[in-house]
Amino acid sequence: LLDDVSLSIYPGEMVALMGPSGAGKTTLLELLTGQRIASQGAVLLNGRDLLKSWGEFRHTIGYVPQDDIMHRDLTVYEALYHTAKLRLPRDLPNSAVVTHVEKLMDRMGLTSLRDSIIGSEKIRGISGGQRKRVNIALELITEPSLLFLDEPTSGLDASSTLEVLQLLRSLADSGKTIILTIHQPRVE
C-alpha cells in the first residue's frame, strides 16, 4: 500500500498527511501509531523502534479516530471526568482529577459547554465541531506528547474546520507533536 515513504517529524510540529481518498493517508497513520505492522522498514521514535519499545512509548502517543467515540448521553464534563477516572492513575485524588478536567475543558474551549449533553441523532446536543473538540480532549486526558488524528475535519463545515485546526495549531505551539490526515483541501 505504501512504497518508499520516508519522513521525519520533529517535536512541536503539526504535519498534515494530505491526499485524495485511497492515497494511503490512513494506512500511513496506522503504521506511524503502531496499529499496523509494515512488511518492511521501520518506524522510529527518538531513534528507537516503535514496535520493539511499545511498552515505553504507548503512553506518549494519543490517537483520535475519524469517528467520534464517546457516550453521547453524557454531558461534556461527565464524558471527560469518567474518561479521566479510567485513564489517570488510580491514586490521584478526586480533587486533582476534577482540576485536570476543568483545565482541559478551558484549554479546549469547552468550559461554556460543561453541562451540555453531547447528543446523538435522536437527542439534540452540541455541534459537530464541539463534539470533535470533546473527542480530542478525551485523548488529551493523559497528556500524550504525540497526537495522531484521522480526518479530524471530516464532516465539519468551514468554520468548524478552522476552529479545530486552530486548536491543533495551538497544541503544537505548546509543544505537542500533531500528525493528522486530511483530504486535500481547496486552495481557499
Side-chain angles (χ1 to χ4, degrees), residues 3 7 29 38 63 67-68 98 106 112 126 136 140 146 158 169:
D3 185 33
L7 70 146
L29 195 71
Y63 179 76
D67 296 322
D68 298 332
V98 169
D106 185 49
S112 65
I126 60 178
I136 295 168
L140 289 174
L146 280 165
R169 177 73 258 167

Side-chain angles (χ1 to χ4, degrees), residues 103-134:
K103 284 181 181 178
L104 184 58
M105 284 192 328
D106 185 49
R107 186 163 130 205
M108 300 297 289
L110 298 168
T111 303
S112 65
L113 302 171
R114 184 187 203 284
D115 298 319
S116 299
I117 297 289
I118 292 170
S120 64
E121 295 77 31
K122 296 178 183 177
I123 303 169
R124 185 167 168 79
I126 60 178
S127 73
Q130 293 165 336
R131 195 168 50 249
K132 185 57 73 176
R133 284 186 293 162
V134 171

